[in-house]
Amino acid sequence: MGLDGLVVVSDPYLQRRFSQADLRVLQAQYAGLRDALPSGRLRLRDLPAALSGLGVGGAGKGGAGKGDAEKENSAPGAGAQLTEEEWASVLKAVPRADDRPQQGVSFELFLRVYAEMQLRLKGAGAGKKAGAGGGITRSSSSSAAAFLTAATTTLLHTISESEKASYVGHINAYLAEDPFLKNALPIDPATDHIFHLTKEGVLLCKLINLAVPGTIDERAINTKKLLNLWEKNENHTLCLNSAKAIGCTVVNIGTQDLAEGRPHLILGLISQIIKIQLLADVNLKSTPQLVELVEDSNEMEELMSLSPEKILLRWMNFQLKKGGFQRTVTNFSSDIKDSEAYACLLNVLAPECCTKPSPMSVKDLLHRARLVLEHADRMGCKRYLTPKDIVDGLPNLNLAFVAHIFQKRNGLSKQLKQVSFIDGLSDDAQVSREERSFRLWINSLGISTYINNVFEDLRNGWVLLEVIDKISPGSVNWKMANRPPIKLPFRKVENCNQVLKIGKELKFSLVNIAGNDIVQGNKKLILAFLWQLMRYNILQLLRNLRFHSNGKQITDNDILIWANKKVKDSGKRSQMDSFKDRSLSTGIFFLHLLGAVEPRVVNWSLVTKGEKDEEKQMNASYIISVARKLGCSIFLLPEDILEVNQKMMLTLTASIMHWHLKKPTPYSLDTENGSTCETSSTSTSDDSASESSFDDNGTR
């Protein structure tokens, strides 16, 4: 059974030394280091400084200390130091049979240097006392040693027991009545049972639906009492593709990580999902009263470009100003450790819940934090953190706490401020859906910039250059690019002009569009350009999988012909005349196509005739979840199928085609008509474990 995210290394030593999750993390770090260099080539002599930049084994006596968040995202041995002589010894000791200086350091050579460095740190730590100047502590030494033999990557990222307890409490509170999970809940936060429970895949799927209701059609989740490996993997695949579809970053996590219950990866994913749930209303669309935070159109433009976290901070400072608080809170960590901001915020929002002694009359920080949380309890707010978590400044938990306060009582006027500059705030439904699809697609690519609003975040051209570089490597001239923050408008235009120049080279249709149109946030032109980027990416992925295409480009018509042939060959009579064929709104054709490429994936007892609007809605929702369960990374909504959005119909069909061609099965492609002939089957599913309801009567 093929699982995604596999990183292949040829050296048996490296295969034994690193787990798959380790390799994914290190591969991402390696790619980041290489991409940051102007030449794109990582040289051997660059490695000491490069690894030092990751907080690992840097030469010298060490620099400023790191915050908790940075420590959790750094590699093992962070903060430990090797001298220049020790580094020279490391580089000399590493086998370099495959070293090709003209091509730069290979990934496997990078891994060998990394492993050798860890061995040196282990040896250095064994001979030094804890805390000796310039050396490494016993704890960092033992961490490095343990990392080399660990079966999981837990030691790459510290597991926060406070965060685990908080997220377990959230799950216990919100999913207690779920029919499938109620017998497994409540989870004891003092144990690791949460990581075992996620191995079935059901809990994470339910949590995603809690964050963004309707994301997963729960009929597509495998919820039998005993699931086989195939069914668990389907749940994990559905979970990861759905997580991407709500905005989670899942670049370095695969289905195998979920199956093995890798703690730091699972906790990281749960953290993202809960964060999305808690911040769902922190935007102008869901809470238009946030317009109170701005005074003019320039501030409105700035607010629209902010992430939910930044908006939450702005809201918090707005309320603190009402209470006469003198400081500005800029983060959810150090700025609120003393609980003074919390005490003021809660007094402003719920003065009736105040009691004596007041938090500000108490000098002990833990006692003060305890009084703040008791005030929040009287408001009906859930506790996402303990007094110690506040004093320690844990950013994720403080963010969750403030977001929940905003949900319960935001203190904004119920009367919407009547100002002229909010007139254009709302988009029509299709523009809003397309913006969402393109935003989620861009964030799924794994570029360094996370975007919150397509129309605002793309205006400086930098993100578009990152996207182009991802889907067409080597196209961007980074020497000519202007890196954010960019204050001068003409620098933004320069970036956007390069974007359009590359677009023309890729044969995009760019009539009547200039770089300044992107800078000005022209929605229609930005969406048109993004569609061409997405379409180019899809067609390139398909072309790369055509083993016998002789280099022929795939066209939209090839995809159409392939889909109709697959359905016809499966014995069904439905077909689509084009990607805007109105009959597609019933969903029947796509269900037949999904059943054709993987017969066991569609439960035909759940399929309706698609004659009434309600039946069409049910089919559309089921199609999207089944496609994601199969392995398709798609970002459309049921409404796109119901309204037959031509662009989304193409991406859905192409994604199914890509999954089918990617399967480890030999195919021969007829390049004249675009059809694919299956020559053998390697299905390893346990069909006996499937329910009898997976029965296609052939008439639907």
Side-chain angles (χ1 to χ4, degrees):
M1 178 172 58
L3 300 173
D4 58 22
L6 186 66
V7 180
V8 179
V9 290
S10 59
D11 189 337
Y13 166 76
L14 298 176
Q15 293 171 5
R16 294 192 302 271
R17 184 58 60 89
F18 300 107
S19 70
Q20 271 297 307
D22 296 334
L23 289 172
R24 278 194 292 275
V25 171
L26 291 169
Q27 186 182 59
Q29 292 179 336
Y30 167 76
L33 293 172
R34 187 186 56 197
D35 293 346
L37 296 170
S39 65
R41 295 194 305 273
L42 188 63
R43 298 168 299 181
L44 203 60
R45 64 174 179 267
D46 296 328
L47 288 181
L51 289 170
S52 178
L54 295 176
V56 184
K61 293 187 178 181
K66 297 182 178 183
D68 293 338
E70 188 177 347
K71 287 179 182 176
E72 288 189 5
N73 289 317
S74 60
Q81 302 293 323
L82 294 180
T83 65
E84 292 183 6
E85 293 76 13
E86 288 170 331
W87 262 115
S89 177
V90 166
L91 299 180
K92 185 176 180 181
V94 172
R96 283 182 267 169
D98 62 345
D99 186 23
R100 298 177 182 176
Q102 69 277 13
Q103 296 181 10
V105 173
S106 67
F107 178 51
E108 294 202 9
L109 181 55
F110 172 81
L111 291 176
R112 292 190 200 107
V113 172
Y114 190 90
E116 182 67 23
M117 176 201 66
Q118 291 290 348
L119 286 171
R120 298 306 172 99
L121 292 176
K122 172 187 175 185
K128 295 183 180 181
K129 293 182 179 180
I136 66 172
T137 64
R138 292 183 189 275
S139 61
S140 63
S141 168
S142 63
S143 293
F147 166 75
L148 296 175
T149 56
T152 72
T153 58
T154 303
L155 291 172
L156 273 172
H157 297 253
T158 304
I159 297 298
S160 167
E161 289 297 325
S162 292
E163 287 194 24
K164 183 180 77 171
S166 178
Y167 302 150
V168 166
H170 180 95
I171 290 168
N172 287 339
Y174 281 95
L175 292 174
E177 300 303 317
D178 184 86
F180 183 83
L181 296 172
K182 63 183 180 181
N183 291 332
L185 299 180
I187 303 167
D188 184 353
T191 70
D192 286 338
H193 184 57
I194 178 67
F195 305 121
H196 297 288
L197 195 57
T198 54
K199 291 181 180 181
E200 301 287 315
V202 180
L203 174 62
L204 291 174
C205 287
K206 298 278 189 176
L207 201 58
I208 287 171
N209 263 2
L210 191 62
V212 183
T215 299
I216 297 176
D217 186 327
E218 297 199 359
R219 297 175 298 168
I221 305 174
N222 296 321
T223 55
K224 292 192 307 184
K225 190 172 183 180
L226 292 176
L227 300 177
N228 59 35
L229 291 177
W230 175 276
E231 291 162 334
K232 290 179 184 179
N233 185 61
E234 284 184 330
N235 282 348
H236 295 146
T237 304
L238 174 59
C239 164
L240 291 178
N241 283 319
S242 299
K244 283 192 286 187
I246 66 170
C248 294
T249 301
V250 294
V251 175
N252 290 319
I253 183 171
T255 55
Q256 188 64 22
D257 299 312
L258 301 184
E260 294 175 4
R262 294 188 180 275
H264 86 274
L265 292 171
I266 290 173
L267 202 64
L269 181 57
I270 290 174
S271 173
Q272 290 188 73
I273 296 169
I274 291 177
K275 178 179 170 183
I276 288 170
Q277 177 187 348
L278 293 176
L279 294 175
D281 293 332
V282 188
N283 58 75
L284 281 162
K285 186 175 181 181
S286 301
T287 310
Q289 292 82 6
L290 282 166
V291 74
E292 276 192 62
L293 308 186
V294 303
E295 295 296 333
D296 55 40
S297 58
N298 289 333
E299 288 192 7
M300 170 62 78
E301 187 176 301
E302 180 188 356
L303 187 67
M304 291 176 64
S305 68
L306 295 178
S307 66
E309 296 94 320
K310 296 291 186 184
I311 294 176
L312 198 61
L313 280 172
R314 189 156 179 167
W315 165 81
M316 188 175 183
N317 284 308
F318 175 78
Q319 301 296 352
L320 290 174
K321 188 176 180 181
K322 291 181 183 178
F325 196 69
Q326 298 300 312
R327 301 199 320 259
T328 298
V329 176
T330 62
N331 58 62
F332 292 105
S333 182
S334 59
D335 284 0
I336 46 184
K337 284 184 175 183
D338 59 11
S339 297
E340 290 181 4
Y342 278 147
C344 180
L345 177 67
L346 298 183
N347 283 341
V348 170
L349 297 176
E352 74 280 5
C353 296
C354 295
T355 60
K356 292 184 178 182
S358 70
M360 295 309 300
S361 66
V362 176
K363 291 185 177 180
D364 181 74
L365 293 184
L366 278 174
H367 188 190
R368 185 186 297 169
R370 189 175 301 110
L371 292 174
V372 162
L373 292 178
E374 288 173 359
H375 189 160
D377 284 343
R378 291 190 292 273
M379 289 172 59
C381 294
K382 288 186 174 62
R383 285 197 183 190
Y384 281 90
L385 70 180
T386 65
K388 186 176 185 302
D389 296 332
I390 294 178
V391 174
D392 289 344
L394 296 186
N396 287 341
L397 299 187
N398 277 300
L399 171 63
F401 182 54
V402 177
H404 190 65
I405 293 172
F406 180 89
Q407 281 186 344
K408 294 294 289 187
R409 191 177 300 193
N410 61 37
L412 298 172
S413 173
K414 294 182 180 179
Q415 295 254 337
L416 185 60
K417 189 176 180 181
Q418 295 299 313
V419 286
S420 59
F421 51 80
I422 66 170
D423 292 342
L425 190 59
S426 60
D427 294 316
D428 65 68
Q430 182 159 334
V431 167
S432 181
R433 288 205 308 272
E434 288 194 9
E435 186 276 334
R436 171 194 170 277
S437 296
F438 293 136
R439 169 168 39 88
L440 294 170
W441 169 67
I442 290 171
N443 286 331
S444 76
L445 295 176
I447 64 174
S448 61
T449 307
Y450 188 92
I451 66 170
N452 297 287
N453 184 303
V454 160
F455 303 126
E456 296 299 324
D457 296 349
L458 302 190
R459 290 171 62 173
N460 63 17
W462 180 263
V463 173
L464 285 171
L465 290 172
E466 284 190 288
V467 172
I468 290 172
D469 191 57
K470 198 75 174 180
I471 67 176
S472 182
S475 297
V476 177
N477 182 352
W478 290 109
K479 292 181 180 179
M480 301 296 293
N482 301 297
R483 181 183 293 271
I486 307 172
K487 294 185 178 180
L488 298 175
F490 78 91
R491 295 296 187 192
K492 299 178 183 179
V493 174
E494 286 177 349
N495 280 352
C496 294
N497 283 341
Q498 185 180 176
V499 165
L500 297 180
K501 178 177 178 291
I502 298 170
K504 290 176 182 176
E505 293 170 357
L506 298 177
K507 305 293 192 260
F508 290 1
S509 174
L510 298 173
V511 180
N512 296 326
I513 178 172
N516 195 51
D517 293 317
I518 299 175
V519 175
Q520 295 298 319
N522 186 308
K523 295 181 179 181
K524 181 179 178 182
L525 296 179
I526 289 174
L527 291 177
F529 186 80
L530 287 175
W531 163 241
Q532 294 186 78
L533 274 179
M534 179 186 271
R535 179 176 173 275
Y536 175 85
N537 184 42
I538 293 169
L539 296 182
Q540 285 300 107
L541 289 172
L542 288 172
R543 185 189 179 203
N544 292 341
L545 291 175
R546 294 182 65 179
F547 305 111
H548 305 287
S549 66
N550 297 320
K552 179 187 174 185
Q553 294 284 356
I554 279 194
T555 66
D556 297 2
N557 194 50
D558 290 330
I559 299 171
L560 182 72
I561 292 172
W562 172 85
N564 280 324
K565 187 174 188 304
K566 289 302 297 182
V567 171
K568 182 179 179 181
D569 289 349
S570 70
K572 303 296 184 299
R573 289 172 292 184
S574 60
Q575 67 171 21
M576 63 173 166
D577 296 330
S578 70
F579 292 111
K580 53 185 178 181
D581 187 335
R582 298 305 303 175
S583 69
L584 294 177
S585 66
T586 67
I588 299 301
F589 177 83
F590 287 117
L591 288 162
H592 282 163
L593 179 59
L594 289 164
V597 298
E598 179 50 72
R600 72 182 302 284
V601 79
V602 177
N603 183 337
W604 292 99
S605 69
L606 301 176
V607 176
T608 73
K609 294 181 179 179
E611 295 175 348
K612 301 177 181 178
D613 289 345
E614 184 180 355
E615 292 177 341
K616 291 179 180 180
Q617 175 74 34
M618 292 175 66
N619 283 353
S621 176
Y622 188 57
I623 287 165
I624 293 171
S625 290
V626 168
R628 287 176 180 152
K629 179 178 178 178
L630 196 63
C632 299
S633 183
I634 50 177
F635 304 99
L636 73 164
L637 292 170
E639 290 80 3
D640 292 312
I641 297 176
L642 298 176
E643 296 174 13
V644 192
N645 182 320
Q646 183 178 356
K647 298 171 185 176
M648 295 300 111
M649 296 305 92
L650 172 59
T651 60
L652 174 59
T653 311
S655 296
I656 297 170
M657 181 179 181
H658 180 258
W659 177 85
H660 181 64
L661 293 178
K662 194 174 64 173
K663 288 198 303 183
T665 305
Y667 296 92
S668 62
L669 184 62
D670 180 351
T671 59
E672 292 303 313
N673 60 22
S675 63
T676 306
C677 302
E678 188 171 332
T679 58
S680 66
S681 174
T682 59
S683 175
T684 58
S685 63
D686 182 3
D687 292 329
S688 64
S690 302
E691 299 289 349
S692 59
S693 58
F694 282 78
D695 178 31
D696 181 1
N697 297 322
T699 58
R700 297 190 178 187

